[in-house]
């Protein structure tokens, strides 16, 4: 996988620019979030931990489990780095040969993941996000959501997965 890029501006300058854009978004009710994209600025937990205090109350993050795995970062480590500033999760499972498969078909420890989410107070949505080559049928997506729902506490940290399942609003990317 790609090594994180180097950037011409410092984290401080980046935070200043982000804060300016976030302020405009907040005027219209939009929360600007950072995602842990494996080849970008926040690929590593250390970068997230460095940026959080610079952003102060403007810090907001999206945790993408497949992006963490693609960069060799333990999902738990990235979740802990984002902490109480986590707003949204893009979830998938992984195995030795695949890093973007439906939940329940791989090795991710969802019990631990959801327990960590509860500890940090995350109550945002979780979106099942798979690339098209990560599943064979739409039923595999439904089964993945059903599997997650068996692990979630009622009305718990990830009620968004249940909503997505009930309303059929799955999110996935196509090539």
């Amino acid at each position: 996988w790609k090594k994180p890029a180097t950037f011409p501006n410092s984290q401080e300058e980046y935070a200043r620019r982000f804060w300016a854009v976030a302020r405009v978004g907040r005027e219209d009710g939009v929360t600007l979030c950072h995602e842990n994209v494996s080849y970008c600025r926040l690929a590593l937990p250390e970068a997230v931990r460095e940026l959080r205090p610079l952003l102060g109350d403007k810090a907001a993050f999206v945790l993408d489990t497949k992006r963490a795995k693609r960069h060799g970062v333990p999902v738990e480590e990235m979740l802990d780095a984002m902490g109480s500033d986590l707003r949204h999760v893009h979830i998938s499972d992984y195995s030795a040969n695949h890093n973007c498969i439906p939940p329940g078909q791989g090795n991710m420890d969802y019990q631990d993941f959801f327990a960590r989410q509860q500890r940090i107070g995350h109550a945002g949505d979780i979106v099942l996000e798979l690339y098209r080559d990560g599943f064979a049928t739409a039923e595999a997506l439904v089964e993945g959501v059903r599997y997650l729902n068996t692990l979630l506490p009622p009305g718990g940290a990830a009620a968004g997965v249940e909503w997505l399942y009930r309303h059929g609003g799955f999110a996935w990317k196509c090539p």
Side-chain angles (χ1 to χ4, degrees):
W1 301 103
K2 293 182 182 179
K3 180 177 151 184
T6 55
F7 299 93
N9 54 337
S10 67
Q11 284 283 65
E12 292 80 7
E13 178 61 17
Y14 178 78
R16 186 187 69 72
R17 292 176 184 186
F18 179 86
W19 186 87
V21 174
R23 184 180 55 217
V24 171
R26 284 188 179 194
E27 290 171 4
D28 289 324
V30 173
T31 300
L32 186 61
C33 297
H34 293 273
E35 184 172 343
N36 61 305
V37 176
S38 54
Y39 52 87
C40 292
R41 182 177 291 271
L42 298 183
L44 300 173
E46 298 79 33
V48 173
R49 284 191 285 273
E50 183 183 339
L51 187 61
R52 277 182 77 188
L54 296 173
L55 292 174
D57 69 348
K58 308 296 182 285
F61 298 99
V62 173
L63 170 60
D64 189 321
T65 61
K66 78 179 156 306
R67 293 283 183 183
K69 293 309 290 182
R70 286 181 174 188
H71 200 67
V73 172
V75 172
E76 305 79 21
E77 211 175 300
M78 187 60 80
L79 176 63
D80 292 345
M82 292 177 176
S84 62
D85 294 318
L86 178 65
R87 299 291 178 269
H88 188 78
V89 176
H90 294 167
I91 203 163
S92 60
D93 210 335
Y94 59 88
S95 67
N97 298 320
H98 304 283
N99 57 31
C100 187
I101 56 179
Q105 293 186 9
N107 304 321
M108 185 159 162
D109 184 348
Y110 290 102
Q111 299 278 6
D112 179 63
F113 181 78
F114 294 138
R116 285 173 185 266
Q117 273 192 297
Q118 283 191 304
R119 279 196 298 277
I120 65 169
H122 177 248
D125 288 339
I126 295 178
V127 173
L128 176 56
E129 183 181 71
L130 302 176
Y131 294 116
R132 185 61 189 97
D133 63 353
F135 62 96
T137 66
E139 184 59 29
L141 298 174
V142 171
E143 288 305 314
V145 171
R146 285 183 180 148
Y147 173 75
L148 291 176
N149 283 330
T150 67
L151 304 175
L152 297 173
V161 175
E162 185 176 355
W163 184 90
L164 287 170
Y165 169 68
R166 280 197 316 261
H167 297 289
F170 297 106
W172 69 84
K173 295 181 179 181
C174 297

